[in-house]
Amino acid sequence: MIRVAIAGTGRMGRAIAAGLESRDDMELVGYWGRGDDLDALLPGADVVIDFSLPGGTMQVLDAAVRHGKPLVCGVSGLGEEQMARVADAAISVPLVYDRNMSLGVAVLTRSVREAAASLGTDFDLTVSEVHHVHKKDAPSGTALKLGEAVATARGEAGTGSVTFHSERRGEVPGDHEVVMQSPTERLVFAHSVTTRQVFADGAIRAARWIVGQPAGRYRMSDVLFGE
């Protein structure tokens, strides 16, 4: 039985807890929220799933290292210094960090990377995304992830050649579209989310996978494809 601790008591934390109820090989040992005692929760867990906030993630990273616990983190909006802390923690513990835990987005990212590498620089690249009005970061972490994937595949150091479009409306969980266009043809890759449960299910799959892995930083592509 894999024992799971959840950092974050909001909607994502509750969605992960709901997802764990249907797993025969996993169980929830407790939640952590700001002000709670992480050091009391982690000894009883085999893995930690973090969907708190950027400030809380720094506390979770430190506690995971102290207790030697594998960590799955899906918190977006981390700055450069915070990402450096993620990299430092991965030296000591196995850590899956991804801006989007959806299995479909992992497949989408792989597909657009391969397409961009094949098509080269003759195609213009546009990444568009729509999210709910409560989302603060724009472009979304997933849009940046997709832009970085195609730019790297084309041998570019940054995403300067990628055009990003962001829209915030209603309660849209997340829609992403990558368009590759030349003067003669247009290729479109798209992914839509109908419920945030997909992120919880992806995080649970990552948590099952990360237990027993060696220390290091992993992504959802590693979980799905062993990349």
Side-chain angles (χ1 to χ4, degrees):
M1 184 70 70
I2 298 174
R3 300 165 298 172
V4 181
I6 299 173
T9 58
R11 285 182 294 183
M12 280 305 303
R14 295 192 296 272
I16 293 166
L20 289 172
E21 290 179 358
S22 63
R23 269 70 174 185
D24 294 334
D25 62 336
M26 306 178 82
E27 65 177 358
L28 174 66
V29 297
Y31 292 94
W32 173 79
R34 298 292 290 272
D36 295 332
D37 188 353
L38 261 174
D39 290 316
L41 175 62
L42 263 58
D46 299 308
V47 61
V48 184
I49 301 178
D50 176 29
F51 271 93
S52 57
L53 294 170
T57 293
M58 299 302 101
Q59 297 182 54
V60 176
L61 286 172
D62 291 343
V65 171
R66 279 198 304 273
H67 294 276
K69 300 297 182 179
L71 174 63
V72 174
C73 179
V75 177
S76 61
L78 300 184
E80 290 185 11
E81 182 177 341
Q82 292 166 320
M83 287 305 301
R85 294 270 296 277
V86 170
D88 287 344
I91 296 173
S92 302
V93 297
L95 191 160
V96 175
Y97 176 80
D98 211 307
R99 291 164 173 153
N100 191 311
M101 292 286 169
S102 161
L103 305 182
V105 165
V107 174
L108 174 65
T109 303
R110 190 186 203 196
S111 299
V112 299
R113 184 172 64 241
E114 292 177 352
S118 300
L119 297 174
T121 57
D122 292 336
F123 283 67
D124 293 331
L125 297 176
T126 301
V127 180
S128 303
E129 53 99 355
V130 182
H131 279 88
H132 53 84
V133 295
H134 312 291
K135 188 169 181 62
K136 297 178 181 179
D137 54 322
S140 68
T142 302
L144 293 173
K145 170 188 172 78
L146 292 167
E148 291 164 0
V150 297
T152 300
R154 300 204 305 184
E156 299 168 352
T159 58
S161 68
V162 181
T163 300
F164 292 95
H165 293 302
S166 299
E167 183 180 351
R168 299 288 175 264
R169 57 180 166 83
E171 295 295 331
V172 179
D175 294 342
H176 292 87
E177 182 178 86
V178 179
V179 177
M180 302 179 185
Q181 186 163 348
S182 76
T184 56
E185 58 185 321
R186 185 171 184 264
L187 185 62
V188 180
F189 299 83
H191 178 268
S192 295
V193 171
T194 57
T195 169
R196 292 185 179 88
Q197 189 63 42
V198 299
F199 308 125
D201 292 343
I204 291 169
R205 179 161 173 173
R208 179 188 284 117
W209 178 86
I210 196 68
V211 173
Q213 297 292 333
R217 179 183 165 183
Y218 303 93
R219 296 173 174 82
M220 288 303 292
S221 59
D222 297 297
V223 176
L224 267 67
F225 311 117
E227 296 181 347

